[in-house]
Amino acid sequence: MSRTVYVNGEYLPEEDAKISIFDRGFLMADGVYEVTSVLDGKLIAFDGHAARLTRSLSELDMAAPVDMDELLAIHRELVKRNDIVDGLIYLQVTRGSPGDRDFVFPDPATTPSTLVLFTQSKPGLADNPAAKIGMSVISIEDLRWGRRDIKTVQLLYPSMGKMMAQKAGAGDAWLVEDGVVTEGTSNNAYIVKNGKIITRHLSNDILHGITRAAVLRYAKEAQMEVEERAFSIAEAQDADEAFVTSASAFVMPVVEIDGVKLGDGKPGKVALRLREIYLDESRKAAI
Amino acid sequence: MSRTVYVNGEYLPEEDAKISIFDRGFLMADGVYEVTSVLDGKLIAFDGHAARLTRSLSELDMAAPVDMDELLAIHRELVKRNDIVDGLIYLQVTRGSPGDRDFVFPDPATTPSTLVLFTQSKPGLADNPAAKIGMSVISIEDLRWGRRDIKTVQLLYPSMGKMMAQKAGAGDAWLVEDGVVTEGTSNNAYIVKNGKIITRHLSNDILHGITRAAVLRYAKEAQMEVEERAFSIAEAQDADEAFVTSASAFVMPVVEIDGVKLGDGKPGKVALRLREIYLDESRKAAI
């Protein structure tokens, strides 16, 4: 059965969901996005995603297409219309279609932002068996632009990174710049050494993960030590364990980095405990 | 009157030219483009643009949607249907629409590339009065990704750069990385000192301009000295003259850099001479 998706005020069958070739999202990657998880039919961390969307739009001088209450209503309507129990809601805002191509931003008064949302059903999303095995990662050079704190649709390099990982038989790639890890292709990266959780500090160099913020909060509440700083691949390979966080993978253990197994090569205790806490707390707070 | 544009094998009125919201060009900036000038109804440097497109596609493991003979035929058909005397033809290829969103590349056997072309009529394109006055540029940090040799649609930062230039009352921005100029937001950058033309050497750091290659060839044929190396803003401000080249601006003099006028603040002789040669030779070779 065809999904119902949302495009600029209309709920449409996915086959009919189209945008102009002049949309700046298509011609110039002039757009931002968010992905919100759904568990048991409820939205996980919607407020966090809405706040980050607002910030991304603001950093790019892009107009919000609807207010956040309406955005929540659209999310819920899509969950309902598509019978999503577990899954994802993808949202994208672009600077709209001025009807022709020009580097100069169009006037938002005459060119409204484009808003697109669609669902992906992922039954058992929180019970991903991969979390029990953990995943391997390779390291690759971070060639992305300099404003990774803005969640833009410039995803070609992360996509290339996933392909490099796939060709190497790995689950993902960690991006390395100036000798230290920035983050994964679509997640934040962590190592654990002697009980201390180490993850890159916030800056323009990495995405300010909604799941990252929540996981670090829960870690601190559970009396775990957290240090926010950069680390190298060599330090990561010498760590006791490692993991990544993202809105759709939650907390995912990493058991091998560039062919080097961490510890006994099984998911670490800290990662598994944080995954449990994160899922428990997120389900409680879901709306 | 509405333009006729080309989308995946069909010639359509521009209002009907749409692509799926699942197109990877829209969701992931997974696409490349070319812009070819038209003078007197003929294509300028089509072979160069076709060759660069082929290289961009190859670097990204993307399938060519049509062969280059057919691409030429589409260009000519659009010139004819839209009565273009002087103007531009914009072409974009994306990795197509696999019908859902995933970082992993879709199989090209089942997901054909998307091909979009449209025209922009620019009467008197080669007689742009700005070329007689020259333009001012500001310098900004180069925050783009690391593979600028691939002509992708990841144009958000160049677009932001044009806005920064506009706010500063300048015509464009030159991008600076590690203390030296890479290029302009949508053009290659040059300075001239003591009769010598200096422009950044080719690498992954800059676009391999089709106009750049032609202009350097004509310069050498005219016995001008050319040095391909990086230069700083300070060196540029101390130069006798400066200019940029692109497929649509041809050779455009730069007369002011970050508020500092070059020489007498008028377009330089080398830039004006190269513009003349380039336009003459390009018209002769146009197809």
Side-chain angles (χ1 to χ4, degrees):
Chain A
M1 199 186 73
S2 164
R3 276 175 290 185
T4 296
V5 306
Y6 176 97
V7 183
N8 289 331
E10 287 188 282
Y11 291 92
L12 300 165
E14 59 185 310
E15 310 80 51
D16 301 336
K18 295 185 177 181
I19 49 129
S20 167
I21 61 166
F22 295 104
D23 192 282
R24 289 178 60 95
F26 182 68
L27 294 181
M28 297 194 151
D30 191 2
V32 296
Y33 75 104
E34 287 292 334
V35 179
T36 302
S37 278
V38 179
L39 292 178
D40 307 321
K42 288 182 173 172
L43 302 166
I44 304 297
F46 176 81
D47 287 350
H49 290 286
R52 185 170 61 190
L53 174 65
T54 301
R55 180 180 179 278
S56 291
L57 293 170
S58 166
E59 289 294 309
L60 298 178
D61 293 321
M62 205 181 287
V66 296
D67 68 30
M68 293 304 138
D69 287 341
E70 191 172 342
L71 201 63
L72 174 58
I74 299 167
H75 276 73
R76 285 177 163 161
E77 185 66 21
L78 283 175
V79 168
K80 194 174 141 193
R81 290 194 187 214
N82 293 286
D83 295 319
I84 303 294
V85 179
D86 297 337
L88 307 174
I89 302 186
Y90 176 88
L91 166 170
Q92 181 170 333
V93 180
T94 79
R95 209 181 301 273
S97 172
D100 208 346
R101 180 178 182 272
D102 190 349
F103 280 77
V104 171
F105 295 173
D107 182 350
T110 49
T111 301
S113 299
T114 292
L115 176 61
V116 165
L117 290 96
F118 58 83
T119 57
Q120 292 183 324
S121 178
K122 306 264 184 189
L125 179 64
D127 306 312
N128 186 347
K132 293 184 179 69
I133 303 162
M135 71 169 176
S136 59
V137 299
I138 57 166
S139 66
I140 62 173
E141 197 185 350
D142 194 342
L143 294 184
R144 297 171 302 161
W145 83 319
R147 291 299 304 274
R148 299 130 192 184
D149 58 309
I150 309 173
K151 200 167 169 70
T152 77
V153 295
Q154 295 177 121
L155 294 175
L156 178 53
Y157 191 69
S159 190
M160 292 165 75
K162 294 266 190 201
M163 295 306 292
M164 289 183 239
Q166 192 181 74
K167 276 180 192 162
D172 197 15
W174 278 11
L175 306 168
V176 175
E177 188 172 55
D178 299 329
V180 285
V181 173
T182 51
E183 57 192 334
T185 61
S186 60
N187 47 61
N188 290 118
Y190 306 72
I191 58 174
V192 182
K193 182 74 176 181
N194 300 328
K196 188 197 284 177
I197 299 164
I198 301 162
T199 193
R200 180 124 180 172
H201 50 287
L202 295 181
S203 72
N204 291 352
D205 295 333
I206 66 167
L207 182 73
H208 299 194
I210 304 305
T211 310
R212 177 189 183 280
V215 164
L216 292 186
R217 192 170 66 245
Y218 298 141
K220 286 168 190 168
E221 285 171 7
Q223 310 300 323
M224 296 180 195
E225 197 182 348
V226 173
E227 190 177 358
E228 295 181 64
R229 65 163 172 85
F231 56 84
S232 68
I233 288 293
E235 185 181 359
Q237 289 175 322
D238 189 47
D240 300 323
E241 54 174 291
F243 60 93
V244 297
T245 64
S246 76
S248 55
F250 312 118
V251 179
M252 177 63 64
V254 168
V255 295
E256 189 181 309
I257 301 171
D258 280 342
V260 174
K261 282 197 165 52
L262 304 190
D264 60 1
K266 290 180 184 157
K269 282 178 198 169
V270 172
L272 291 177
R273 178 75 189 118
L274 284 174
R275 180 178 175 89
E276 196 180 303
I277 298 173
Y278 177 77
L279 284 170
D280 283 352
E281 296 295 329
S282 295
R283 283 183 199 273
K284 275 187 228 164
I287 59 170
Chain B
M1 199 185 73
S2 164
R3 277 174 290 186
T4 296
V5 306
Y6 176 97
V7 183
N8 289 331
E10 288 187 281
Y11 291 91
L12 300 165
E14 59 185 310
E15 310 80 51
D16 301 336
K18 295 184 177 183
I19 50 130
S20 167
I21 61 165
F22 296 104
D23 192 282
R24 288 178 61 95
F26 182 67
L27 294 181
M28 297 192 153
D30 190 3
V32 297
Y33 75 105
E34 288 291 334
V35 179
T36 301
S37 277
V38 179
L39 292 178
D40 307 321
K42 288 182 173 174
L43 302 165
I44 303 297
F46 176 81
D47 288 350
H49 290 286
R52 186 170 60 190
L53 174 65
T54 301
R55 180 180 179 277
S56 290
L57 294 170
S58 167
E59 289 294 309
L60 297 178
D61 293 322
M62 205 182 287
V66 296
D67 68 29
M68 294 303 138
D69 287 342
E70 190 172 343
L71 201 63
L72 174 58
I74 298 166
H75 276 73
R76 285 177 163 160
E77 185 67 21
L78 283 176
V79 167
K80 194 172 141 195
R81 290 194 186 214
N82 293 286
D83 296 319
I84 303 295
V85 179
D86 296 337
L88 308 174
I89 301 186
Y90 176 88
L91 166 170
Q92 181 170 331
V93 181
T94 80
R95 208 181 301 274
S97 171
D100 208 345
R101 180 180 184 270
D102 190 348
F103 281 76
V104 171
F105 295 173
D107 182 351
T110 50
T111 301
S113 299
T114 292
L115 176 60
V116 166
L117 290 95
F118 58 84
T119 56
Q120 293 183 324
S121 179
K122 306 264 184 188
L125 179 64
D127 305 314
N128 187 348
K132 292 185 180 69
I133 303 162
M135 71 169 177
S136 60
V137 299
I138 57 165
S139 67
I140 62 172
E141 197 184 350
D142 194 343
L143 294 184
R144 296 172 303 160
W145 81 320
R147 292 298 306 275
R148 300 131 193 184
D149 58 309
I150 309 173
K151 200 168 169 69
T152 78
V153 295
Q154 296 177 119
L155 294 175
L156 178 53
Y157 191 68
S159 190
M160 292 164 74
K162 293 265 190 203
M163 294 307 292
M164 289 184 240
Q166 193 181 74
K167 276 180 192 165
D172 196 17
W174 279 10
L175 306 169
V176 175
E177 187 173 53
D178 299 329
V180 285
V181 174
T182 50
E183 57 192 333
T185 61
S186 60
N187 47 62
N188 291 119
Y190 306 73
I191 58 174
V192 182
K193 183 75 177 179
N194 299 329
K196 187 197 285 178
I197 299 164
I198 301 162
T199 192
R200 180 128 180 169
H201 51 287
L202 295 181
S203 72
N204 291 352
D205 295 331
I206 65 167
L207 182 74
H208 299 193
I210 305 305
T211 310
R212 178 189 183 281
V215 164
L216 292 186
R217 191 171 66 245
Y218 298 141
K220 286 168 189 168
E221 285 171 8
Q223 310 301 325
M224 297 181 195
E225 196 182 352
V226 173
E227 188 176 0
E228 294 181 64
R229 63 162 173 85
F231 57 84
S232 68
I233 289 293
E235 185 180 359
Q237 289 174 323
D238 188 49
D240 300 324
E241 55 174 292
F243 60 92
V244 297
T245 64
S246 76
S248 54
F250 313 118
V251 179
M252 177 63 63
V254 169
V255 294
E256 188 180 310
I257 301 172
D258 281 340
V260 174
K261 283 197 164 52
L262 304 189
D264 60 2
K266 289 181 184 157
K269 282 178 198 171
V270 172
L272 292 177
R273 178 76 189 117
L274 284 174
R275 181 179 175 89
E276 194 179 304
I277 298 174
Y278 177 78
L279 284 169
D280 283 353
E281 295 294 330
S282 296
R283 283 184 198 273
K284 275 187 227 165
I287 59 172

